Amino acid sequence: MDFQYTSFILSVVIASTPLLLAATGELVAERAGVLNLGVEGMMLVGAIAAFAVAVTTGSSTLGILAGVGAGVLTSLIFALLTLSFLSNQVATGLALTIFGTGLSALIGKAYVGMVVARLPQIHIPGLSDIPFFGPVFFGQDVLVYVSFALVAAVYWFLFRTHAGLVLRAVGNSHDAAHAIGFPVIKIRYLAVMFGGGMSGLAGAYMAIAYNTSWSEGMTAGRGWIALALVVFATWRPFWLVVGAYLFGSIMYLSLYIQGFGVHIPSQFISALPYASTVVVLVAISRDRKRIRLNAPASLGKTFHAAG
Amino acid sequence: MQLKLEPRGFQSKFWSYASPVLAIALTIVTMGVIFLVLGKDPAVSLYTFLIEPLVAENGATELLVKASPLILMGVGISLAYRANVWDIGAEGEFTIGALFGGGVGLAFPDLPFAVLFPAMLIAGVIGGMFWALIVALLRTRFNANEILTSLMLTYIAQLILIYMVTGPWRDPQGFGFPQTAMFSANATNPTIIEGTRLHLGIFFALAAAAAGWLLLTRSLLGFQLRVQGFAPRAARFAGFKENKLVWTALALTGGLAGLAGTLEVTGPIGQLTPQISPGYGYTAIIVAFLGRLHPIGVVFAALLLGLSYLGGEAAQIELALPSAVTGIFQGVLLFYLLGCDTLILYRLRIRSSRPAAVRA
């Protein structure tokens, strides 16, 4: 009994972590007023970069770094177009996802069928061996702890530091922030790059911790679910944890039910995370006042300083 | 010295036409570089990708086969995006349309063609419309972001398709393959030139483009859609009903996508299978942007993007390149297009690096 609980929780954590990582990055970008719909594309590019490097070098660490770097690089294309060339953020984000899907498939062709060593779970002698609590709190892989640390860091940065206040000001009213003298474009570049790095990290997690192999389009819409999670959390970091773990549970449960041989067509169960996303979006968005109160007011709007 | 963007204060007509041309040129150069990086001769690769499909046997008709669904969906998407309705789920509407239309064909295979085929097309339109109107309902009634809901519904549509062709509709004589029986002769989209795969879809596509053009430029509804997108406040003051426009835009997009789906499965494919579209619904978004969100522009853009599918197939067969080259071409093209479009509203100025007066 005890064993089952443990493995259930461990599986949920693994399913939730990529969502949490990607959504945390997107939340910062959106708080700065930039809507980057390219999360899915950046995740895929991060995933193949991490996988390719991890397979070639045999090092998970280098793989993870490559994933983050690839995410940052792809997000720079988006930043350049939307922030310097003032292109439409929705269209550019879509382009990034289409491009990232194609690029990762092209690079990934050579890596189909290969297997990489799974990101190891840490083991602290003594602590990790405690029944139940040990594996759950002291036996996860390192990126799980990183994901929680990053949520806390993002919260602290956004709401407890001056720089975070400036970033939120840029997202709420870029014209006012600009008038005060804040470098709106520079701040948005950094926020978008952070989002890209986190998407790349989420992709790396998919490729070397959630899975240990590469397959085309392996993120299966998680980038889009991460975008929905930001709305679900109404742009507040700690609610991302709730949302990510809710969806991680739904994703794992859908696998779990199938394993039980319940007589529901597997496609219906596979559709559950997507259907839940719609339901959750509806439940949150119908409260227009709450959305208006929390959404960055300049979200998705192009900024151009005349002069 | 630095480059500065300076607002023109108006939309440059010249650049709204020149931008796609420049973007296509830059994309071709970039593709050449990508081919070089992949270790192929750029000139040969570009010829294989862009020219050879056209001069090959049946090249022209194959191009029209690929362009037809892109035109149908591109026209709908153009109208919706004009009204700031960001439906990115045409792929799902295409799928559900194919299921509705195809379902009628499978249920009544023996009805005469003149009754059955039109009924299938109507069912396809209804299917696509139904799927898109879920998005409309969620946006107008519950304020849910249509970008996310329409995409989630696309994933769900794909799973429904897989369920139907592996479950209830699987062909018992199909040796266990996940596919339905072939459509009966009376349920088949006829080819219009003997020996080619060119089907009725191209007529519907061109008619949709013409009707879309009329609607956009010559009707009150088209005017309302444009104002809604361009100046939502003005639209509100003018008394245009935003919700009604959202419903209309999505009904048009979904209906056209559903029609495209039915024409595709009853034509080139001939049955329902788990893969009925190589991403036409997403490509149609690029078609819409490249075609300047204009139904006539969409026709030309669809020809180019249709070519990218043929080019991807040719590159796969002759250069042993993955067909993902098509996706890269499409993504790069959209990037360049969005970048070049800046020149429609802004002009580039080179100025000395003296700090400029700050004005918000």
Side-chain angles (χ1 to χ4, degrees):
Chain A
M1 207 52 200
D2 191 41
F3 172 71
Q4 273 192 350
Y5 277 122
T6 314
S7 75
F8 172 76
I9 291 177
L10 291 183
S11 306
V12 167
V13 169
I14 289 173
S16 310
T17 302
L19 296 174
L20 184 58
L21 289 168
T24 306
E26 177 66 16
L27 182 134
V28 172
E30 292 195 15
R31 275 287 185 176
V34 186
L35 177 67
N36 185 352
L37 295 180
V39 179
E40 180 85 0
M42 297 188 294
M43 277 180 78
L44 282 167
V45 174
I48 188 57
F51 186 79
V53 170
V55 159
T56 319
T57 65
S59 157
S60 308
T61 316
L62 288 180
I64 291 168
L65 290 176
V68 173
V72 171
L73 281 180
T74 39
S75 74
L76 270 174
I77 305 175
F78 175 87
L80 183 75
L81 284 169
T82 55
L83 301 174
S84 297
F85 286 93
L86 313 176
S87 68
N88 177 307
Q89 293 180 8
V90 172
T92 314
L94 286 176
L96 189 59
T97 289
I98 294 170
F99 173 76
T101 309
L103 182 67
S104 61
L106 184 70
I107 301 172
K109 210 72 183 176
Y111 294 92
V112 171
M114 294 189 187
V115 177
V116 73
R118 191 182 295 278
L119 186 64
Q121 288 162 337
I122 61 163
H123 185 88
I124 305 171
L127 285 177
S128 305
D129 302 325
I130 305 169
F132 185 71
F133 290 103
V136 169
F137 290 105
F138 304 105
Q140 310 280 358
D141 62 67
V142 62
L143 286 182
V144 171
Y145 302 101
V146 168
S147 71
F148 279 97
L150 281 168
V151 172
V154 161
Y155 172 80
W156 173 80
F157 170 78
L158 285 176
F159 298 101
R160 294 285 181 269
T161 68
H162 181 72
L165 180 68
V166 171
L167 185 141
R168 285 186 291 134
V170 165
N172 271 322
S173 172
H174 46 218
D175 288 329
H178 175 69
I180 298 170
F182 295 131
V184 172
I185 297 298
K186 191 180 137 200
I187 290 165
R188 287 193 169 165
Y189 257 94
L190 293 173
V192 168
M193 285 161 69
F194 178 76
M198 292 295 282
S199 289
L201 185 58
Y205 194 87
M206 287 298 298
I208 65 176
Y210 185 91
N211 278 325
T212 50
S213 59
W214 160 261
S215 60
E216 218 178 298
M218 67 183 295
T219 48
R222 283 181 177 77
W224 294 99
I225 294 178
L227 277 157
L229 283 177
V230 177
V231 180
F232 167 82
T234 53
W235 295 271
R236 289 168 303 174
F238 285 123
W239 281 93
L240 283 184
V241 180
V242 178
Y245 276 77
L246 177 68
F247 274 88
S249 312
I250 293 170
M251 282 179 168
Y252 178 64
L253 270 179
S254 51
L255 292 174
Y256 195 69
I257 296 172
Q258 284 173 40
F260 254 121
V262 177
H263 291 292
I264 305 172
S266 67
Q267 289 83 15
F268 288 4
I269 299 168
S270 304
L272 210 59
Y274 308 118
S276 316
T277 306
V278 173
V279 170
V280 160
L281 269 178
V282 164
I284 296 288
S285 307
R286 60 184 306 182
D287 187 351
R288 283 165 207 255
K289 222 193 273 165
R290 198 155 116 215
I291 291 286
R292 251 206 315 274
L293 212 61
N294 287 292
S298 292
L299 184 60
K301 297 202 178 101
T302 302
F303 170 74
H304 179 251
Chain B
M1 282 275 290
Q2 65 181 129
L3 285 173
K4 267 274 172 195
L5 291 173
E6 196 176 87
R8 292 179 193 275
F10 62 94
Q11 295 199 22
S12 159
K13 231 189 162 99
F14 171 75
W15 276 108
S16 72
Y17 293 109
S19 161
V21 177
L22 181 60
I24 292 168
L26 289 169
T27 306
I28 291 173
V29 172
T30 307
M31 287 311 285
V33 174
I34 290 175
F35 287 132
L36 193 64
V37 171
L38 292 171
K40 310 281 170 184
D41 181 334
V44 174
S45 308
L46 284 175
Y47 180 83
T48 310
F49 191 75
L50 293 171
I51 312 284
E52 204 179 275
L54 295 177
V55 295
E57 202 195 342
N58 286 343
T61 55
E62 276 303 300
L63 183 62
L64 293 178
V65 169
K66 299 280 186 226
S68 303
L70 294 176
I71 296 172
L72 281 168
M73 289 192 273
V75 167
I77 290 171
S78 297
L79 296 170
Y81 285 12
R82 288 241 173 196
N84 263 342
V85 176
W86 298 99
D87 174 18
I88 59 172
E91 184 83 0
E93 292 143 22
F94 178 96
T95 303
I96 298 295
L99 276 171
F100 271 54
V104 170
L106 291 172
F108 308 101
D110 300 324
L111 283 179
F113 175 83
V115 178
L116 179 58
F117 196 65
M120 289 168 69
L121 293 182
I122 292 168
V125 170
I126 292 173
M129 237 182 226
F130 159 68
W131 210 241
L133 289 180
I134 299 177
V135 177
L137 175 76
L138 297 177
R139 166 157 162 185
T140 55
R141 179 86 178 73
F142 301 108
N143 190 34
N145 181 314
E146 74 273 19
I147 300 172
L148 296 174
T149 53
S150 63
L151 196 85
M152 291 297 129
L153 284 169
T154 299
Y155 284 105
I156 295 173
Q158 178 63 28
L159 288 165
I160 296 176
L161 172 67
I162 295 174
Y163 168 70
M164 293 310 285
V165 299
T166 52
W169 289 0
R170 187 208 291 256
D171 180 11
Q173 274 100 52
F175 304 104
F177 282 107
Q179 58 195 28
T180 65
M182 299 293 288
F183 290 112
S184 69
N186 288 348
T188 295
N189 180 357
T191 48
I192 49 181
I193 300 178
E194 194 70 39
T196 71
R197 303 200 305 160
L198 190 63
H199 55 87
L200 288 181
I202 190 64
F203 292 136
F204 284 98
L206 294 177
W213 175 75
L214 277 177
L215 186 145
L216 193 64
T217 58
R218 299 283 184 273
S219 76
L220 177 63
L221 177 64
F223 177 69
Q224 289 178 329
L225 287 171
R226 280 182 292 151
V227 175
Q228 179 62 43
F230 202 68
R233 266 170 67 83
R236 222 162 26 244
F237 290 137
F240 302 164
K241 301 270 184 295
E242 186 190 344
N243 284 355
K244 201 187 104 193
L245 290 174
V246 171
W247 282 86
T248 312
L250 280 162
L252 284 169
T253 321
L256 287 170
L259 179 64
T262 304
L263 288 164
E264 192 69 17
V265 292
T266 55
I269 302 177
Q271 65 191 150
L272 288 167
T273 72
Q275 271 102 37
I276 57 172
S277 159
Y280 285 140
Y282 302 110
T283 304
I285 297 172
I286 305 175
V287 166
F289 280 117
L290 188 66
R292 316 283 71 191
L293 301 185
H294 190 290
I296 306 301
V298 160
V299 175
F300 294 102
L303 291 173
L304 178 68
L305 273 304
L307 178 60
S308 76
Y309 280 113
L310 297 179
E313 289 168 12
Q316 198 175 4
I317 295 167
E318 288 173 35
L319 305 170
L321 284 169
S323 58
V325 170
T326 302
I328 302 223
F329 175 88
Q330 297 182 353
V332 169
L333 178 61
L334 186 50
F335 279 142
Y336 278 125
L337 181 74
L338 294 166
C340 294
D341 275 355
T342 309
L343 294 170
I344 297 173
L345 287 172
Y346 300 88
R347 62 169 71 87
L348 269 177
R349 271 288 155 86
I350 301 166
R351 58 161 73 200
S352 60
S353 53
R354 198 163 37 84
V358 175
R359 196 169 64 84

